[in-house]
Amino acid sequence: MIGLVVNPVAGVGGPAGLAGSDGADVQRLALARGARSRVQERAVLALTTLAERHPGLVVATAAGAMGADAVRAAGLVPRVVAPAPGVERNETEAEDTSRAVAALAADGVDLILVVGGDGTLRDAVAGLDVAENPSGAGTDVGRHADMRMPAVLGVPAGVKMYSPVFAVSPRAAGAIAADWIDLGGLPTDEREVLDIDEAAMRRARVDPTLYGMLRVPYRSGRTQARKAPTPVTEAAAVEAAARGAVARMFPGVRYLLGPGGTTAEIARQLGVEGSPLGVDVVLDGTVVVCGASEQELLAAIDQGPAQAVVTVIGGQGFLLGRGNQQLSAAVLRALGDDPLLVVAPEQKLIDLHGRPLLVDTGDPELDARLAGHVRIVTGAGTSSLYAVSAPELTP
């Protein structure tokens, strides 16, 4: 039996430039800035892929926006085994996700698809703890001690997705779930669930904490790798790559500096100070918008030539769709035919062992346009052509 839990507010803080979506205050601020969560669309996309191979499948899930709505929208049949009190008050909380996961585990589900980001998967870990130790959790969720906990697969729909528990895209998640049914299970790995304190993250303190382990179905190229930090010993390589990018910048162009250590070094060399983990608009050595939202980026692009400056997430290989959702499909389309200036030290590319870079904007047509090869500035006078893949196009 496949199960589904959706965090209805996952990802809403990304386009708003808030570095996450944790907490009701942050969610309200994101909505006030014109952002919206795309979590339902991504949940339906995963389930539609599953439905193509298993039409009419019954999916165990939570009520309403926490699962049943998406199951119906994909043409599948929901079997509601978990309430969703947060939906009734139009504001879900972490405990709602944990309770839903615990209920699915107690119901005997083999594989749970959890739609959200790192924080949502952290709540899933807590839910499995409740299911495994019901007496200590003070709940009425029951499960036999000799029953194995279900496997869990993250469907990427949040802002922070550094944990290696996610499929590379919603369609990949749906395909893995279909394989799970066809083969009666898949090989699984015990993988870490990492999360970052968002308040500290907004102050540029990025210290991931391990919150537990999940049994995750593994498919080569379909399951996401863990984010790898840039080693201190690579500081000189980062400095050289940033110098190469700065040399390619032109007067009168608005550069949208994305998050990351390499882009932070670019800002340092330009002599500007922006938001360490946001997207800043820099024009002729001046920050004109700090920590811009999607709407602010679109307004900046309307004022003249612009280009986004992005780097590679170490270990994962993502260019777009992980931590920089302000650079949305609408923003990238507005940037025109040459939207990206990509910069990364060469070692990050070597560490991918030939795996392509990934783009996941949520717009398959745009992802297809960005796929192929991209030129990456790797040093003061060096660059490399590297393959780019759109995982949404190939489940």
Side-chain angles (χ1 to χ4, degrees):
M1 172 67 72
I2 300 294
L4 174 76
V5 176
V6 177
N7 175 0
V9 296
V12 70
L18 297 174
S21 307
D22 292 352
D25 291 342
V26 171
Q27 293 157 18
R28 284 192 286 268
L29 177 58
L31 294 172
R33 291 186 179 184
R36 69 179 184 89
S37 173
R38 300 186 65 248
V39 67
Q40 295 296 335
E41 297 168 33
R42 292 174 79 80
V44 171
L45 186 56
L47 293 172
T48 300
T49 303
L50 175 59
E52 289 170 356
R53 291 168 54 183
H54 294 279
L57 182 73
V58 176
V59 178
T61 188
M66 288 195 68
D69 291 349
V71 174
R72 291 191 186 96
L76 298 176
V77 180
R79 182 170 66 84
V80 176
V81 299
V87 174
E88 297 171 7
R89 60 177 179 267
N90 200 31
E91 193 174 274
T92 59
E93 297 177 350
E95 291 79 6
D96 296 324
T97 298
S98 297
R99 292 189 189 101
V101 169
L104 291 177
D107 192 65
V109 168
D110 298 309
L111 172 64
I112 304 176
L113 303 179
V114 179
V115 190
D118 282 334
T120 309
L121 271 295
R122 170 181 169 182
D123 300 333
V125 169
L128 291 185
D129 287 344
V130 169
E132 196 164 21
N133 304 289
S135 58
T139 75
D140 58 0
V141 174
R143 185 171 175 89
H144 296 297
D146 60 349
M147 294 182 70
R148 192 180 191 192
M149 286 291 103
V152 176
L153 178 65
V155 180
V159 178
K160 311 181 308 300
M161 288 168 286
Y162 296 151
S163 303
V165 297
F166 293 93
V168 295
S169 71
R171 278 173 57 83
I176 290 172
D179 288 345
W180 182 277
I181 296 171
D182 289 339
L183 301 174
L186 290 170
T188 58
D189 287 342
E190 293 289 328
R191 294 196 168 192
E192 312 101 318
V193 174
L194 308 164
D195 198 15
I196 296 170
D197 180 275
E198 290 186 3
M201 188 178 181
R202 295 182 186 103
R203 299 191 300 269
R205 292 187 58 188
V206 184
D207 299 314
T209 300
L210 175 65
Y211 284 93
M213 306 290 288
L214 291 173
R215 190 167 62 91
V216 179
Y218 176 76
R219 269 287 196 248
S220 179
R222 303 284 85 196
T223 311
Q224 180 173 294
R226 177 180 178 176
K227 180 185 184 298
T230 302
V232 175
T233 54
E234 286 188 21
V238 170
E239 188 274 336
R243 190 153 28 97
V246 170
R248 289 165 170 78
M249 292 181 169
F250 297 97
V253 177
R254 289 165 176 80
Y255 289 98
L256 318 182
L257 288 186
T262 306
T263 47
E265 174 61 19
I266 292 173
R268 188 194 69 78
Q269 292 187 23
L270 290 172
V272 302
E273 184 174 351
S275 54
L277 297 162
V279 177
D280 304 312
V281 182
V282 178
L283 173 64
D284 296 333
T286 301
V287 176
V288 295
V289 186
C290 183
S293 68
E294 175 189 26
Q295 296 304 316
E296 289 171 325
L297 293 177
L298 287 169
I301 294 167
D302 281 344
Q303 297 175 28
Q307 191 175 42
V309 184
V310 298
T311 189
V312 176
I313 295 183
Q316 294 182 348
F318 276 96
L319 285 180
L320 298 166
R322 297 295 185 271
N324 57 6
Q325 285 90 344
Q326 306 95 311
L327 298 173
S328 65
V331 168
L332 293 163
R333 287 186 180 281
L335 288 171
D337 293 334
D338 188 23
L340 301 178
L341 173 59
V342 183
V343 54
E346 189 174 27
Q347 189 60 47
K348 277 195 175 183
L349 306 181
I350 294 171
D351 289 345
L352 291 173
H353 303 291
R355 289 183 285 120
L357 302 179
L358 302 173
V359 290
D360 180 20
T361 69
D363 182 330
E365 183 180 336
L366 176 62
D367 288 351
R369 196 184 93 191
L370 295 171
H373 287 81
V374 67
R375 184 166 296 280
I376 302 173
V377 178
T378 56
T382 59
S383 64
S384 297
L385 276 178
Y386 201 91
V388 178
S389 175
E392 271 304 273
L393 302 179
T394 53

